[in-house]
Amino acid sequence: MAGDGAAGVLLVHGAGGSAEAHFGGLTARLGDRRRIVACALPDEPGADPDAVVDGFAAAAGAAGLDSFAVCGYSLGAPLAVRLAVRHPGRVRALALCAPFARADARMRLAVSVWRGLYEAGLTGLLAEQLALTGLGPRFLERHPLRLVRAALALAPAPPAGTPAHLELAERIDVREDLARLAVPALVVVTGGDPLVAPDRQRALAAAVPGAETAELDTGHLPFWEDPEGWAGVLAGFLERFPGPVPEETGVR
């Protein structure tokens, strides 16, 4: 974590991953200029989304953060929205990446296959299914399939909480919350996304008052396809929200 006086950033990762896997490039870019709190998704099915985000707010308080920006990726995006609505005085800015407000039919089908392969222990097929739903068509055309498969073989195994993440992704619905957001927001659209249709991401951005948009030519895994571009867009937005002025200056 950064030293005293640094602005706070909460990172909320997506299903089947971790803050390190999804935001490692961003945390390296921010360095010690931000006090970073990595939020973990629930490990048990049936978690109440409000209780989950209240836990995130409590973790921020335990880290000494009264206010903070929130960066949510995939499932982390609707959770970030809910966090901002429930704790409006504490959330200073939102970065929503490859976001969805609720799971549509395509996502539900993908989640069903994902859960089935995970529970059957078919890790090789699961990796290929995640590549099919996570990587953009241009990325797959540019890279030989044998290299993609080799990279997938080296990827970390999905965490034990994956079924709980997927169950939460199917239940969460923040459509009514979008218009209630009253903080600066950036929506990062993944323009070649086969899992969350880019048009749905753009529609979400249009529903957030005053939201900015940025678009990356990637699938649902921008940190894999374009790690520099991904981290640069997020860091550029977050660095516009500096930390509190040290108390000894007398300025508040």
Side-chain angles (χ1 to χ4, degrees):
M1 293 189 299
D4 291 342
V9 178
L10 269 62
L11 304 178
V12 188
H13 64 85
S18 66
E20 175 58 29
H22 294 168
F23 295 111
L26 175 61
T27 56
R29 180 72 67 94
L30 294 176
D32 62 358
R33 299 186 303 280
R34 293 292 183 272
R35 180 177 299 194
I36 295 172
V37 176
C39 300
L41 299 184
D43 289 334
E44 296 296 329
D48 175 34
D50 288 349
V52 172
V53 301
D54 289 349
F56 295 165
L65 298 176
D66 293 325
S67 63
F68 41 82
V70 186
C71 183
Y73 161 70
S74 192
L75 173 57
L79 289 170
V81 168
R82 194 67 191 146
L83 175 58
V85 167
R86 286 183 63 80
H87 300 273
R90 299 187 65 191
V91 176
R92 303 179 63 199
L94 282 175
L96 308 175
C97 315
F100 63 94
R102 71 174 182 93
D104 65 359
R106 180 180 180 83
M107 180 179 290
R108 290 177 185 278
L109 286 170
V111 164
S112 178
V113 174
W114 187 351
R115 181 187 293 113
L117 292 172
Y118 178 87
E119 293 177 348
L122 300 173
T123 55
L125 285 177
L126 174 59
E128 296 209 351
Q129 190 265 347
L130 294 178
L132 185 64
T133 58
L135 298 175
R138 293 187 183 181
F139 181 87
L140 288 172
E141 286 299 319
R142 290 196 303 264
H143 297 81
L145 191 54
R146 60 180 177 80
L147 296 182
V148 173
R149 285 189 168 120
L152 291 170
L154 298 175
T162 293
H165 303 173
L166 298 176
E167 187 266 344
L168 180 57
E170 289 184 305
R171 279 192 296 112
I172 196 163
D173 186 344
V174 297
R175 288 174 294 175
E176 294 184 1
D177 291 331
L178 298 176
R180 300 169 61 189
L181 295 174
V183 295
L186 170 70
V187 176
V188 181
V189 176
T190 40
D193 198 323
L195 181 62
V196 182
D199 284 349
R200 292 186 66 222
Q201 299 182 46
R202 297 183 191 110
L204 182 150
V208 177
E212 303 174 32
T213 60
E215 189 152 332
L216 297 176
D217 185 20
T218 72
H220 199 67
L221 307 175
F223 42 84
W224 190 346
E225 295 185 40
D226 184 12
E228 289 298 318
W230 153 258
V233 166
L234 293 178
F237 176 74
L238 295 171
E239 287 175 345
R240 288 160 47 190
F241 303 94
V245 179
E247 290 186 3
E248 59 267 28
T249 67
V251 179
R252 296 184 183 274

